[in-house]
Amino acid sequence: MKLNSILLLVILSAVSYAAEIALVRNGRAEAEIILPPSPSPAERFAAQELQYWIREITGAELPVRDTGGAEGVKIFLGKGNASEFAEDLKALEGSDGYACRNRNGNLYIFGSIPKGTLNGVFRFLENNSDIIWPRPQYTVFSKQKDFTATRIDELDRPYSRVRGLGLTLVSGTLKDSLWRVRNNENWSKASAESCAEWGMQRELGGHIFARIMPEKAWFKSNPEFFPEIRGIRRPGGSLCLTAPGIGEVYEKNLSGWIEERLPMDTLMLGINDTSIVCRCAGCLAPIRLPDGSVVTKDDPAFLSTRWYLFVNPIAEKVWSKYKIRTLVYAYLYLIISPKVRISDHILVSFHPHPRDMKTTYEDCKPLKGSEDFGKLLLDYRKVGKEIRLREYYGCNGGFPRPDEYVAVKDMRFAMKHGVREFTAEHPVDRDASNWDPMPSAYWDANAVTAWTITRLWWDPNQDLETLRSRFLERTYREAAPAMKKYYRRIHDLWFSKPDVSTYNDRLISTSKKYFIETGEEQNLRALLDEAEKAAKHPVSRKLVQLARAAFDAGCGLKSRIIVKKTGAEPGFDSPDWKETSVFSDFSTFAHREIPFPAATSVAMLHDAKNLYIKVNCAEASPPDPQAKGGVFDQWIPGDFVSLHFAGSRKKNLHTLSFDRYGNTFDARRSERKWNSGMKVEYRRGETSWEALVTVPLAALEYVPEHDKLNRIYGVFHRRHTPPGGEALSATSQGVTLDNVRSYMEIFLER
Ligand SMILES: [Zn+2]
């Protein structure tokens, strides 16, 4: 997209190639960092970070001083050192943008506020070395003996006023916060000290609207403040917004809540995560608006009109008392804009949920049961002064979903309508094994999405492909060509299907749809292999390996049953058994908590004509299998193994059963006289016995080419009586025997 002329006025970015300035030469510091007079915490932090990263890169420490000595290059930080750049400061005013200048061989990095200086330091480092902060847990850069600034003269003013991921799932670490700071994000829930140091606007609160009136303190004395549901007052959900006196009490409580937590820039006064509202006569009564019109309870805007009438005066008071703006969630029943003007001191945080993550606002076709969020956003724009777009980009369940392609269009749409604040929910980069998938898995699969989105928020008119290339080249280096192909292919697969994508798609089913069923799994894995071989930088290689692990987890590689194709009829010891999947995840049927005492494994081979199944059964003292038992037309009494298959069409169930004495039984559905043509051989081990079953695939109703993934379906079962115990049944993954839908997929290799 080309920049339009209005935006060119906003983005006063100019790059010219001034003389180089050497800061470190041959491992020796040649420059010093000069703080402005009375530096703010963010300016001190800017000096610290500049010093830290140059030391990480070169091993040399640039001293940080209050005033410069006579000798050497100076790096002047902050507005207090930039008085001779009045024009730049004017251009940066009211933003956290930055300028970087070379004046007489000295370097100046500054903003019109301390956060601008801090932002400038990170971009200076990025522009003058190969460093990237791709995700919270990892940084990639080269160690080198020199640090020479070559790209200096630059001024960059962001389009957005507020930007940053809202990191969720488990509490983040310092690394998560620092990643946000180093990538120019500017709001946080951290401590006042940290926010001052990182130049972050401090936003506190959340789903707290009703919590301001705690049930414990108020329900007994004032049940009328709580919602009436079917004639009964009870705490939970929202509050009764028309109870006499509630406004005054609410304001008082809210002041207490705020004063315990000051300082803050924004109070997040979000409704609870529920649509429960008060249904009392007062709350459901028609609302007469100042212009004389009436809004009745059947109007879609009724609930939000009622709510803003309550919250507007509260936000006014909060502003006049504390100079804090009130953020509210346009979410659930509040996604419909009210029929009253919203206070100028309210920031509306617009939460489009649930939305189709493949469709932009511009060409939104609402999901079933969902809304046209583009239209709703514009409706809000008409009654509210400040709107923030609060998205769900990157909430992908661990699948490498290219959300940035939708996000960039959404941002430009929002920009066109004056939206200047952006955020999105996103998991932290932290291993937490009690979450599935782990929060870090989102970053393993797809850090490129989170990084490009946060960079686009700075200025949505940047070129997305340039940003993606920058990320991929710096992060993966020698492996970048393969990783580019990998992500490009996923992008193409993703957008070639019309299927809807929503909040936290399920990883396994999404991978199956886009990778396995398209027949692209091997190609994508080959690209990851190629990338791993090409990677030289240890962090790059590690990140490729993590992407590979995320990809394999999505494809369910460990749990998938792949049946190797064999050239010759296999015996018990054929080397092909080493190449095929071995399934051993048996659980005591209906009682998964009881461990199944006899290890059992199943491996299969096929030659397109027959299926060969090797079953290994642990047995404390295996009897000599005589292999001369009878052929049964009913279930074998006592212990046995049964293998159940549904063919390509999942139509009929086929049972193949045998025991260690050579008895066999087979059936198609309830047809017990049916004969599959199965053949069973046995052999005895020290602590186990083995059976090798051969059965014609046609008997199992396998149809070649019926299914492009060449699947049949099955479940395995063993009945076993431990010595002195009672008979126990176990099945593969604890699956039931009679429901074809729960059968495992068995992939026959072509
Ligand atoms: Zn009420």
Side-chain angles (χ1 to χ4, degrees):
M1 188 190 206
K2 284 210 173 97
L3 298 182
N4 68 38
S5 55
I6 299 167
L7 289 158
L8 273 175
L9 291 176
V10 177
I11 304 150
L12 299 160
S13 183
V15 182
S16 71
Y17 294 90
E20 298 181 351
I21 303 178
L23 306 181
V24 177
R25 238 195 280 257
N26 206 16
R28 238 187 49 238
E30 301 259 311
E32 50 191 11
I33 300 166
I34 314 298
L35 288 166
S38 346
S40 70
E43 287 164 334
R44 283 192 185 282
F45 186 63
Q48 220 175 289
E49 284 283 289
L50 184 59
Q51 181 187 52
Y52 175 81
W53 288 110
I54 289 181
R55 190 178 60 218
E56 285 291 295
I57 293 166
T58 65
E61 182 159 301
L62 308 189
V64 176
R65 301 193 201 284
D66 293 327
T67 49
E71 299 284 306
V73 172
K74 316 277 180 290
I75 307 170
F76 290 104
L77 293 185
K79 186 183 177 182
N81 278 330
S83 52
E84 53 187 304
F85 302 97
E87 213 170 291
D88 287 343
L89 287 171
K90 196 158 169 258
L92 294 170
E93 212 172 77
S95 82
D96 60 347
Y98 62 88
C100 188
R101 298 294 179 207
N102 172 359
R103 183 64 53 99
N104 305 323
N106 290 321
L107 196 62
Y108 293 79
I109 303 173
F110 55 92
S112 80
I113 57 171
K115 175 65 166 174
T117 303
L118 186 55
N119 286 336
V121 158
F122 294 117
R123 297 294 69 77
F124 169 80
L125 286 165
E126 224 179 56
N127 289 339
N128 291 285
S129 74
D130 63 4
I131 198 166
I132 186 166
W133 294 277
R135 57 184 275 193
Q137 297 288 347
Y138 297 93
T139 304
V140 187
F141 60 90
S142 305
K143 299 241 180 214
Q144 55 197 57
K145 288 202 151 153
D146 300 319
F147 193 106
T148 305
T150 53
R151 186 176 153 190
I152 300 168
D153 274 307
E154 181 165 75
L155 183 146
D156 199 353
R157 182 190 164 105
Y159 164 76
S160 56
R161 183 171 45 218
V162 175
R163 70 198 84 86
L165 294 174
L167 296 177
T168 60
L169 281 192
V170 278
S171 61
T173 61
L174 180 63
K175 285 180 177 174
D176 290 293
S177 295
L178 289 176
W179 179 85
R180 299 182 66 224
V181 176
R182 289 164 183 155
N183 285 295
N184 298 2
E185 297 194 354
N186 66 359
W187 73 270
S188 172
K189 285 187 163 189
S191 71
E193 292 70 27
S194 294
C195 283
E197 191 168 58
W198 303 333
M200 302 299 235
Q201 302 199 27
R202 190 161 187 245
E203 304 199 341
L204 298 185
H207 291 287
I208 62 164
F209 175 70
R211 267 196 276 151
I212 296 301
M213 303 276 292
E215 169 194 351
K216 265 192 189 152
W218 292 94
F219 187 62
K220 220 167 164 192
S221 62
N222 296 77
E224 75 278 13
F225 291 168
F226 293 86
E228 182 186 310
I229 314 286
R230 286 184 217 99
I232 299 165
R233 297 275 173 186
R234 59 172 187 81
S238 187
L239 297 168
C240 177
L241 302 179
T242 58
I246 188 174
E248 223 169 289
V249 175
Y250 192 89
E251 257 172 58
K252 209 168 144 233
N253 282 0
L254 186 60
S255 292
W257 192 95
I258 291 171
E259 280 164 26
E260 271 173 37
R261 292 165 176 83
L262 286 171
M264 69 182 86
D265 300 288
T266 303
L267 162 72
M268 301 169 90
L269 196 61
I271 52 165
N272 280 21
D273 221 347
T274 145
S275 289
I276 297 170
V277 294
C278 182
R279 299 266 161 198
C280 79
C283 286
L284 293 185
I287 303 167
R288 186 167 292 279
L289 299 177
D291 67 0
S293 61
V294 173
V295 188
T296 62
K297 67 176 172 21
D298 309 318
D299 192 309
F302 179 79
L303 290 177
S304 72
T305 304
R306 172 74 71 211
W307 199 76
Y308 282 98
L309 283 174
F310 183 84
V311 167
N312 271 341
I314 288 169
E316 296 287 337
K317 291 260 170 57
V318 168
W319 178 258
S320 67
K321 232 169 143 180
Y322 307 106
K323 294 287 170 284
I324 291 170
R325 60 180 184 164
T326 301
L327 177 149
V328 303
Y329 296 168
Y331 176 52
L332 302 175
Y333 58 93
L334 297 182
I335 196 75
I336 310 279
S337 59
K339 291 204 161 162
V340 285
R341 175 94 202 145
I342 298 171
S343 160
D344 284 354
H345 301 301
I346 284 182
L347 167 69
V348 175
S349 183
F350 187 80
H351 299 209
H353 182 68
R355 72 172 285 202
D356 176 7
M357 296 307 296
K358 265 191 195 170
T359 314
T360 64
Y361 289 128
E362 202 100 58
D363 29 69
C364 174
K365 284 180 243 52
L367 286 180
K368 203 172 166 195
S370 168
E371 311 279 357
D372 179 343
F373 290 113
K375 180 184 175 298
L376 294 178
L377 180 69
L378 298 188
D379 288 346
Y380 251 111
R381 197 75 197 89
K382 289 175 200 150
V383 290
K385 188 175 165 218
E386 300 296 350
I387 313 284
R388 172 182 295 183
L389 194 53
R390 195 273 191 195
E391 266 295 351
Y392 298 88
Y393 306 133
C395 295
N396 52 32
F399 181 87
R401 201 171 74 181
D403 287 347
E404 61 272 35
Y405 287 89
V406 169
V408 68
K409 290 184 182 165
D410 287 350
M411 286 177 211
R412 289 172 187 170
F413 172 81
M415 256 177 114
K416 218 161 63 186
H417 299 286
V419 172
R420 291 181 60 201
E421 304 202 7
F422 301 94
T423 179
E425 189 173 317
H426 195 288
V428 295
D429 187 2
R430 178 177 164 183
D431 290 345
S433 53
N434 50 335
W435 291 89
D436 183 29
M438 279 197 289
S440 279
Y442 293 71
W443 295 90
D444 293 346
N446 210 26
V448 60
T449 291
W451 189 92
T452 47
I453 286 174
T454 198
R455 289 311 185 82
L456 280 166
W457 279 332
W458 177 271
D459 168 16
N461 277 320
Q462 290 171 93
D463 179 57
L464 173 57
E465 295 303 338
T466 307
L467 278 174
R468 276 172 59 96
S469 291
R470 186 178 181 103
F471 178 93
L472 296 169
E473 284 162 14
R474 288 199 175 210
T475 302
Y476 298 110
R477 297 167 169 240
E478 290 83 358
M483 292 307 283
K484 279 184 176 176
K485 281 189 220 158
Y486 171 74
Y487 282 115
R488 174 57 49 197
R489 190 74 201 116
I490 291 172
H491 164 278
D492 294 348
L493 290 167
W494 181 251
F495 287 107
S496 67
K497 280 184 184 285
D499 307 50
V500 159
S501 164
T502 56
Y503 180 73
N504 279 341
D505 291 320
R506 293 188 55 188
L507 177 61
I508 297 283
S509 55
T510 311
S511 302
K512 191 169 160 196
K513 185 186 294 175
Y514 291 92
F515 300 159
I516 299 173
E517 288 175 358
T518 55
E520 289 286 335
E521 181 193 359
Q522 293 310 332
N523 299 339
L524 290 164
R525 193 173 282 116
L527 288 170
L528 292 169
D529 282 343
E530 188 187 324
E532 190 175 345
K533 276 190 207 107
K536 291 206 171 95
H537 193 287
V539 180
S540 304
R541 188 179 309 118
K542 174 78 185 168
L543 292 172
V544 171
Q545 287 163 347
L546 291 171
R548 167 69 186 262
F551 178 82
D552 285 347
C555 292
L557 193 62
K558 278 188 191 143
S559 56
R560 226 152 89 226
I561 306 172
I562 297 167
V563 180
K564 190 185 158 53
K565 192 167 183 181
T566 174
E569 190 173 328
F572 275 105
D573 297 315
S574 162
D576 284 349
W577 294 113
K578 290 199 175 77
E579 307 277 319
T580 199
S581 302
V582 179
F583 184 90
S584 58
D585 180 13
F586 279 76
S587 298
T588 305
F589 187 68
H591 290 285
R592 298 198 74 157
E593 73 286 358
I594 304 175
F596 189 62
T600 309
S601 70
V602 178
M604 287 174 281
L605 295 169
H606 81 96
D607 57 11
K609 196 166 155 269
N610 290 315
L611 185 64
Y612 306 98
I613 313 156
K614 188 162 83 163
V615 183
N616 186 293
C617 297
E619 190 92 62
S621 48
D624 192 10
Q626 299 146 32
K628 55 183 182 199
V631 175
F632 280 64
D633 275 333
Q634 59 182 30
W635 286 100
I636 302 164
D639 291 354
F640 60 84
V641 170
S642 64
L643 311 169
H644 305 260
F645 294 98
S648 308
R649 294 195 175 92
K650 285 198 190 178
K651 214 170 108 206
N652 289 315
L653 293 187
H654 307 87
T655 300
L656 311 177
S657 179
F658 52 90
D659 70 5
R660 56 197 167 168
Y661 304 114
N663 297 309
T664 62
F665 162 60
D666 53 14
R668 170 177 283 166
R669 304 174 96 172
S670 52
E671 204 188 311
R672 293 180 172 186
K673 297 211 177 302
W674 173 74
N675 279 316
S676 61
M678 72 190 270
K679 195 176 89 193
V680 192
E681 293 168 65
Y682 297 89
R683 109 172 152 173
R684 180 189 180 181
E686 284 295 301
T687 55
S688 68
W689 59 276
E690 274 185 321
L692 175 53
V693 182
T694 304
V695 61
L697 276 163
L700 305 178
E701 296 179 349
Y702 162 72
V703 183
E705 305 310 321
H706 169 77
D707 165 18
K708 62 183 167 185
L709 300 180
N710 218 22
R711 281 171 294 190
I712 56 170
Y713 304 86
V715 57
F716 315 133
H717 166 233
R718 182 177 176 193
R719 190 180 150 95
H720 173 74
T721 311
E726 282 184 27
L728 291 169
S729 272
T731 63
S732 47
Q733 298 178 332
V735 157
T736 55
L737 296 178
D738 49 3
N739 181 4
V740 180
R741 270 182 306 179
S742 64
Y743 276 30
M744 302 182 299
E745 292 172 290
I746 297 166
F747 296 80
L748 305 188
E749 194 184 82
R750 285 182 193 283

